[in-house]
Amino acid sequence: MDVSDFLEKAKRIHGDRYEYPNIVTKNDIKINNASEGLKYEINTDDISIEVTGKENELIGLDITDFTIIVDVTDLEAGEHQVKLNVSSTKEFAAIKLSTETVNIIIK
């Protein structure tokens, strides 16, 4: 992404701080601690990640810069609301998801 693409999508919030939206699909969410023999289906619409930081921190940002995880430890078959956890190898002022949980169906 070049600077013009960034400035088209980003929103200046204060001084040199911007919010930049990214879209996460259910295929981008990793499932940790899944039990063998069970099938896991994440049932959610796309989730947006808003990242706040300086322009030079956000230019070139890609969804692969983030890890979005749900932990299904000790969950049995059925439908569950599971907390999302997001992390990044890059430093930002803030990372915010449009939702805190996703619905997971375990069979």
Side-chain angles (χ1 to χ4, degrees):
M1 169 183 29
D2 63 23
V3 175
S4 63
D5 289 338
F6 168 79
L7 293 174
E8 184 178 306
K9 294 179 183 177
K11 176 179 125 185
R12 184 187 301 262
I13 56 170
H14 178 57
D16 63 350
R17 298 281 178 188
Y18 291 83
E19 284 182 352
Y20 185 78
N22 285 274
I23 300 297
V24 176
T25 67
K26 61 185 173 184
N27 296 328
D28 297 316
I29 301 171
K30 294 182 170 94
I31 298 174
N32 275 3
N33 300 310
S35 296
E36 272 189 47
L38 293 176
K39 293 183 181 184
Y40 296 81
E41 177 186 336
I42 297 173
N43 187 16
T44 188
D45 294 327
D46 290 348
I47 299 165
S48 66
I49 300 177
E50 282 196 9
V51 181
T52 304
K54 294 182 178 181
E55 181 179 340
N56 65 332
E57 295 169 336
L58 301 179
I59 291 176
L61 193 61
D62 186 83
I63 197 63
T64 59
D65 294 320
F66 301 95
T67 303
I68 299 93
I69 297 170
V70 291
D71 189 335
V72 295
T73 301
D74 298 328
L75 294 182
E76 297 177 359
E79 196 167 326
H80 305 274
Q81 284 295 117
V82 182
K83 184 176 179 352
L84 287 166
N85 295 295
V86 61
S87 62
S88 178
T89 56
K90 296 186 175 184
E91 295 284 327
F92 304 106
I95 302 174
K96 179 181 167 187
L97 296 172
S98 61
T99 184
E100 293 183 12
T101 62
V102 292
N103 181 272
I104 295 185
I105 299 168
I106 304 173
K107 299 176 184 178

